[in-house]
Amino acid sequence: SYELTQPLSVSVALGQTARITCGGNNIGSKNVHWYQQKPGQAPVLVIYRDSNRPSGIPERFSGSNSGNTATLTISRAQAGDEADYYCQVWDSSTALYVFGTGTKVTVL
Amino acid sequence: QVTLRESGPALVKPTQTLTLTCTFSGFSLSTSGMCVSWIRQPPGKALEWLALIDWDDDKYYSTSLKTRLTISKDTSKNQVVLTMTNMDPVDTATYYCARIYGGPGGGHFDYWGQGTLVTVSS
């Protein structure tokens, strides 16, 4: 089955840039979506189809995808960005949705 | 305005069958490309996709849980129902329903319910 691997945690200084990776076999050939989940809340879509932001999501959130790694970048990190982040793809070979292992972002 | 809301028992006993209902508004599951999915999250753990039903009544299931899951829809009531048989304490989780627009594989989970916590315990 297809697997997506994320770092367990990422720390970033206030105002600096955080990069969260999502590794998968040839993930660059798939559409990757990213979700933010704050404690006790449902996930919220922050990036879809690799690099697109839904309305209401700050421009500080951006995404890229190539080769075996997709990346969510949070620029000018704010305290409110502290959350768990999950990547997600559709594996067409098995007709299954797959979520990454999740990354906890801490803003110092 | 799109909304989804999960409902069902907060507590089930081991071996029992869980039935969860997702009631939604703001869209129709008869619209081409529209799908509703179930996703769960055990306490402190990652999201796990469970099942999806699309506008054409096609159904997709997690490989590991396929034998225990059934998803169905009632378009007239704007509801999607998930049943999971033979519940076990490891199935304790928050269960979410979410919408996808763009067909199976073609979209992303753009709207989510608030989730419902199901505890499996005797």
Side-chain angles (χ1 to χ4, degrees):
Chain A
S1 61
Y2 194 79
E3 294 183 353
L4 296 173
T5 303
Q6 299 179 235
L8 197 58
S9 62
V10 167
S11 297
V12 58
L14 186 68
Q16 297 304 303
T17 298
R19 293 180 179 84
I20 306 158
T21 57
C22 175
N25 184 33
N26 197 26
I27 195 174
S29 66
K30 303 180 185 300
N31 288 318
V32 179
H33 317 294
W34 290 90
Y35 303 88
Q36 176 194 68
Q37 186 181 33
K38 296 182 178 179
Q41 298 183 19
V44 172
L45 179 72
V46 292
I47 292 289
Y48 65 96
R49 290 204 301 270
D50 297 342
S51 59
N52 297 277
R53 277 178 295 103
S55 61
I57 300 301
E59 291 183 6
R60 301 184 298 101
F61 288 84
S62 62
S64 62
N65 183 19
S66 179
N68 293 317
T69 305
T71 303
L72 173 68
T73 301
I74 308 173
S75 304
R76 303 181 299 283
Q78 301 178 0
D81 299 333
E82 283 204 340
D84 293 327
Y85 291 83
Y86 294 92
C87 56
Q88 175 256 311
V89 302
W90 161 262
D91 180 21
S92 57
S93 64
T94 55
L96 298 175
Y97 287 89
V98 181
F99 284 97
T101 51
T103 298
K104 181 177 181 59
V105 171
T106 301
V107 180
L108 304 172
Chain B
Q1 179 189 2
V2 173
T3 64
L4 302 98
R5 177 172 50 87
E6 305 87 353
S7 59
L11 179 66
V12 297
K13 290 180 168 48
T15 75
Q16 286 186 336
T17 294
L18 170 68
T19 299
L20 295 173
T21 300
C22 176
T23 303
F24 56 86
S25 63
F27 66 96
S28 172
L29 199 40
S30 60
T31 299
S32 179
M34 205 67 74
C35 312
V36 171
S37 196
W38 286 93
I39 298 134
R40 72 178 179 180
Q41 185 174 38
K45 296 189 176 181
L47 300 168
E48 179 185 18
W49 176 75
L50 299 177
L52 177 143
I53 190 165
D54 71 14
W55 76 99
D56 208 22
D57 210 34
D58 291 322
K59 299 156 188 174
Y60 302 78
Y61 295 102
S62 161
T63 301
S64 60
L65 293 168
K66 186 173 186 175
T67 60
R68 300 173 53 205
L69 296 174
T70 302
I71 192 169
S72 62
K73 65 182 174 74
D74 186 331
T75 305
S76 65
K77 292 183 179 179
N78 282 351
Q79 291 182 333
V80 170
V81 174
L82 180 77
T83 62
M84 180 180 292
T85 61
N86 194 24
M87 293 293 284
D88 183 272
V90 300
D91 296 314
T92 294
T94 296
Y95 287 76
Y96 296 98
C97 62
R99 187 189 87 156
I100 287 185
Y101 182 45
H108 40 273
F109 302 105
D110 57 358
Y111 291 93
W112 296 64
Q114 84 281 7
T116 185
L117 175 62
V118 178
T119 301
V120 184
S121 175
S122 54

